[in-house]
Amino acid sequence: MKKYLTDKRNPVIFLLCVLFLIKATQSDIRFIFWIFSGVFLAAGCDVLIKHFFFHQRVFPKSAIISGFIVSGIINYTEPWLVLAVFTILAIVSKNLFRFKGKHIFNPANFALFLATLFRIPFTWGIESNIFVIIVAGLYIVYSMKKIPHVLGFLLFFSIPLMAQQINPISLVSFFFIFIMLIEPKTSGFGNMRGFIFGSITGLTSFLMFKYLPSYDIFVTSLFIANAFSPILEKLKSEK
């Protein structure tokens, strides 16, 4: 068990599988094949890229997570080509946009950002059980040392909303907070950097909600926060 928990991707994959199973019991067969297709396409694409371009053999855990997220957020009644295009874009972006050997943008979120620009509808269907997400998410956040990220987001998203007498709980996506926001390689480590990263994401989410609500506020705000990664990289991580 300890060895399993050492790789922080394993609990995330387990949580995504649980959320998928919950949603699958409430949906039709198309949703099931939609998620399977997204996951296998992402994993297969990552294996091929690593093999032919980097001469590496990998078990594509990160790609599996990206496949779950992309297919779990895009409306599963969309054409299959939509799923294929944006799933592949997620994996390609991970290998294309890099800074000091690390990818800048959260791969799944990068693809979803492009999707929201093209007005592809999102349903966030994978967010099937808030209680499960919060309980598992708190463990994941603590184990990854991402508490500053979450606090920064919640403060800078919630306070402006409450100042306008809007309940932030009615708007916030816990799936976004506990799965997408804290993606290890693109959100960075260290208390100061994490808090700033979360703050940028939270404040941008509020501004998107207020001025550009026609675009997905969370996906867009995370894309913008990721764009600051080269600057935030200069902050010395606290061990």
Side-chain angles (χ1 to χ4, degrees), residues 45-106:
C45 183
D46 196 40
V47 168
L48 290 175
I49 289 175
K50 288 294 193 299
H51 176 72
F52 287 106
F53 292 95
F54 300 98
H55 307 292
Q56 298 175 354
R57 289 185 178 182
V58 297
F59 186 80
K61 292 183 181 180
S62 296
I64 289 172
I65 294 172
S66 294
F68 263 119
I69 294 173
V70 173
S71 59
I73 290 178
I74 292 178
N75 190 333
Y76 71 93
T77 62
E78 286 294 295
W80 293 96
L81 180 60
V82 169
L83 176 65
V85 167
F86 290 105
T87 300
I88 292 173
L89 281 173
I91 305 306
V92 170
S93 73
K94 181 178 72 169
N95 296 281
L96 185 62
F97 301 111
R98 305 179 74 85
F99 177 75
K100 293 185 177 180
K102 300 177 182 179
H103 49 279
I104 301 172
F105 297 100
N106 179 313

Side-chain angles (χ1 to χ4, degrees), residues 24-171:
T25 62
Q26 307 165 354
S27 303
D28 54 34
I29 192 68
R30 181 184 172 92
F31 173 79
I32 296 173
F33 280 110
W34 180 268
I35 298 295
F36 275 138
S37 298
V39 170
F40 282 112
L41 183 59
C45 183
D46 196 40
V47 168
L48 290 175
I49 289 175
K50 288 294 193 299
H51 176 72
F52 287 106
F53 292 95
F54 300 98
H55 307 292
Q56 298 175 354
R57 289 185 178 182
V58 297
F59 186 80
K61 292 183 181 180
S62 296
I64 289 172
I65 294 172
S66 294
F68 263 119
I69 294 173
V70 173
S71 59
I73 290 178
I74 292 178
N75 190 333
Y76 71 93
T77 62
E78 286 294 295
W80 293 96
L81 180 60
V82 169
L83 176 65
V85 167
F86 290 105
T87 300
I88 292 173
L89 281 173
I91 305 306
V92 170
S93 73
K94 181 178 72 169
N95 296 281
L96 185 62
F97 301 111
R98 305 179 74 85
F99 177 75
K100 293 185 177 180
K102 300 177 182 179
H103 49 279
I104 301 172
F105 297 100
N106 179 313
N109 193 77
F110 178 84
L112 292 171
F113 172 72
L114 295 180
T116 197
L117 291 182
F118 284 95
R119 304 303 178 108
I120 303 298
F122 295 169
T123 60
W124 291 78
I126 197 69
E127 195 172 28
S128 58
N129 189 294
I130 302 302
F131 177 76
V132 171
I133 292 173
I134 292 175
V135 171
L138 288 173
Y139 165 76
I140 292 171
V141 167
Y142 176 78
S143 65
M144 289 187 180
K145 300 180 180 179
K146 299 290 186 174
I147 294 176
H149 300 64
V150 174
L151 290 178
F153 175 86
L154 290 176
L155 284 173
F156 281 82
F157 180 65
S158 301
I159 292 176
L161 286 172
M162 290 188 292
Q164 298 193 354
Q165 298 183 332
I166 300 173
N167 182 5
I169 301 299
S170 65
L171 296 175

